[in-house]
Each structure stands twice: as C-alpha cells, then as structure tokens.
Amino acid sequence: MKIAFVGKGGSGKTTLSSLFVRHLAGAGAPVIAIDADINQHLGSALGLDEDEAAALPAMGERLPLIKDYLRGTNPRIASPETMIKTTPPGEGSQLLRVREDNPVYDACARPVDLDGATVRLMVTGPFTDADLGVACYHSKTGAVELCLNHLVDGRDEYVVVDMTAGSDSFASGMFTRFDMTFLVAEPTRKGVSVYRQYKEYARDYGVILRVVGNKVQGRDDIDFLRAHVGDDLLVTVGHSDWVRSMEKGRPPRFESLEDANRHSLRVLQAAADATYELRDWERYTRQMVHFHRKNATRWGNERTGADLAAQIDPGFVLSEALTAAV
C-alpha cells in the first residue's frame, strides 16, 4: 500500500508518519519510508542522529542512475535524458518492488533498525545553497514521483511517504500516487484550512483522504475538527511522553508508546488496508498518462527536445499481476 502523510508545516505529519512506520515495522510488515519534504526530518524521527541523517544518499542527486535503471529496455524512451518526473512505465521498463533488491535501492535506500525490525529509508535530499535562486524543490521530489510511477506493491507491503508541507504536492501528479492520504490537522483554523484546500484540489482524482487530528487535548478540540472536516476525521492523537522523549533524541522502546496512541496507529493501518480492495490500476495508469501529457506540453518537450507523448505505451497498464513476470 502506498500511503502519504500531508499537512501544514508544524502539524506533526513527520512525527506521525514516523510513528506509523514504527508501528508497521513492529508488526513485521515490509516498509519503505520516503522523506519527500523540503525539511528533511524523517530520518531523525526514526532515530538517526544528525550525522547519520546528513549522510543519507539523496535521491535527487542520483536521478541519472534511477532513470537509467527504470528505463530498462523500453523502446519508447530514446535515452534516460529524455525521462522526466512523470514518465510512465511501458513494455520493457524496469519496475520496483517493495521486497526486492535492485540498483535503485542499493544507491538510494539505507536500512534503519527500529527495535529489531528493519525498514528501508529513502530521502529526496535537502535544499542546498547551490539550489538557491536556480531550482525549485520539485526538481528533487521528481525522483520520488518517478519511482512511485514504476512501483508495484501488494497487500501487506507498505510505502510511507512524508510529503512536502501544505498544498505543494499539487505542483505535480504525485498526489494521485497513493492508496491512502492521511492529512494531519491541528484543531485550529490554519490546521483545517489546508484540509479544505487539499480536498478541493483532489476532488476530481479519486484521492482517498482521511484526517488525523493531532495535538488534540479534549472534547472541544475533537468537536472543532468534526465541525470542519466532518466524516473525513478518522482518528485523533493527543499528548505523548514517548514522542517528547523521541524529539529529545532519547526514544524508549516503541512498545512503551501510550495505549491510546497505539490504538490510533492501528486505526490508521486498518483504514489503509481497507483501500486495497478499491485499487483501480487502470485509473492509476491513466492518471500517470494524464499528468505526463500535461508536463510534456508545458515544459518537458522543450527542455528535452523530444516528443515525450511518444513515451506513452497505449497498451500498458501497471498492475500487481506484472510481479509474476519477474
């Protein structure tokens, strides 16, 4: 299952995504965690110290390798240089799978131990001084989008992405790449404003969006969230001494997380798992093609000097059944 955590800056989406990763890993599930936020904090939230987090390989800096591998023998793609963030897979493309080893994971993923369970962590990389004034952060998250476009995951496999804050996700088609999107909202007007914006933008794309109320202190906070987001409110999370210790760099064993918050994480997993039966691979592929055409017309054709619409394989549908061919 592909799962995104979104929300305004400071809402706690990185903390909650890290808790969810720990929860899944503790249950024995294979997990790939991806930090796609401009503020790279997921590694630290998963227990890495500053030096370890800074040493994580940036996906954005390894884009040529990623493109070369994913291109495979696809005859519709003339060269890796003509691939852009929205390039869809086709016959001959290399696909990524959660449980496998491959050159992309070798170059971009690092194992993180979580109380004896291991997850793969991938990061887009921070915004550097060299980027200032000449690049936007979406040039880095494009590596994540390209990988998601080529990823085939199955039941009880999880890819958890800590997304960039606010509505920046809509600068590309990446917001359609997920089975479940959890929007983390504080019980404030600013907290729910991002929800309204996200809900409006995603309305026509079949995005399954559920709200996780964070920093909730009582019934009044719950009533506030319910009044503004209605039935999209899935669960709430309150104060956590465990999280406070984690944020100080001293996380206790995860099994000591408060019972109420452990229950909330189980609710999140159940909601995500329930979307498995709703998967529509044809729509998923169709949306890839839609955003690829838009990006090709707006800027891709001019930048690459190629007709990128020709990369679209009209008979190809990404699906879990393709895993049987490998």
Side-chain angles (χ1 to χ4, degrees), residues 47-93:
L48 301 185
D49 62 33
E50 289 186 8
D51 290 339
E52 291 172 324
L56 291 169
M59 296 175 69
E61 295 176 2
R62 288 155 178 81
L63 195 52
L65 179 150
I66 294 172
K67 290 180 177 181
D68 187 59
Y69 179 75
L70 297 180
R71 175 193 176 209
T73 60
N74 187 334
R76 295 177 179 274
I77 302 175
S79 68
E81 291 73 26
T82 62
M83 295 179 72
I84 62 174
K85 62 182 180 180
T86 54
T87 296
E91 188 69 30
S93 295

Side-chain angles (χ1 to χ4, degrees), residues 81-274:
E81 291 73 26
T82 62
M83 295 179 72
I84 62 174
K85 62 182 180 180
T86 54
T87 296
E91 188 69 30
S93 295
Q94 290 276 11
L95 302 178
L96 302 175
R97 293 162 180 84
V98 172
R99 300 173 191 261
E100 71 177 3
D101 294 319
N102 58 55
V104 173
Y105 295 161
D106 291 343
C108 302
R110 292 295 178 267
V112 177
D113 179 77
L114 301 174
D115 294 339
T118 301
V119 303
R120 280 177 166 142
L121 174 62
M122 303 172 73
V123 302
T124 59
F127 208 60
T128 65
D129 289 343
D131 298 318
L132 296 178
V134 297
C136 73
Y137 191 64
H138 304 110
S139 63
K140 297 181 179 294
T141 58
V144 178
E145 185 169 359
L146 195 58
C147 286
L148 291 176
N149 281 352
H150 289 74
L151 178 66
V152 179
D153 56 306
R155 186 190 294 272
D156 300 325
E157 298 177 335
Y158 299 89
V159 180
V160 180
V161 182
D162 181 20
M163 298 281 279
T164 191
S167 58
D168 281 359
S169 305
F170 293 96
S172 73
M174 193 157 66
F175 73 96
T176 65
R177 303 296 85 201
F178 302 101
D179 298 289
M180 171 64 79
T181 297
F182 291 127
L183 190 144
V184 181
E186 300 170 84
T188 64
R189 287 187 296 175
K190 288 184 178 179
V192 298
S193 66
V194 173
Y195 159 78
R196 288 194 293 267
Q197 192 174 38
Y198 214 103
K199 182 83 169 180
E200 175 65 21
Y201 287 164
R203 180 183 56 193
D204 297 329
Y205 293 94
V207 172
I208 301 177
L209 179 67
R210 303 303 300 272
V211 174
V212 183
N214 194 29
K215 306 178 186 178
V216 170
Q217 298 182 9
R219 171 54 58 183
D220 184 64
D221 286 345
I222 296 174
D223 291 344
F224 176 88
L225 288 169
R226 183 72 70 185
H228 285 273
V229 309
D231 291 339
D232 283 341
L233 180 63
L234 176 65
V235 73
T236 62
V237 177
H239 173 77
S240 172
D241 290 332
W242 192 98
V243 169
R244 181 61 61 88
S245 296
M246 179 269 289
E247 290 175 340
K248 293 177 179 177
R250 302 192 300 268
R253 290 189 65 83
F254 189 62
E255 61 193 24
S256 65
L257 181 72
E258 299 84 2
D259 288 343
N261 291 329
R262 293 181 68 86
H263 170 74
S264 294
L265 294 174
R266 290 193 293 271
V267 172
L268 295 184
Q269 183 180 2
D273 288 347

Side-chain angles (χ1 to χ4, degrees), residues 7-15 37 39 41 165-166 184-186 214-215:
K8 79 173 185 65
S11 64
K13 66 181 180 60
T14 297
T15 297
D37 194 356
N39 299 306
H41 296 314
V184 181
E186 300 170 84
N214 194 29
K215 306 178 186 178

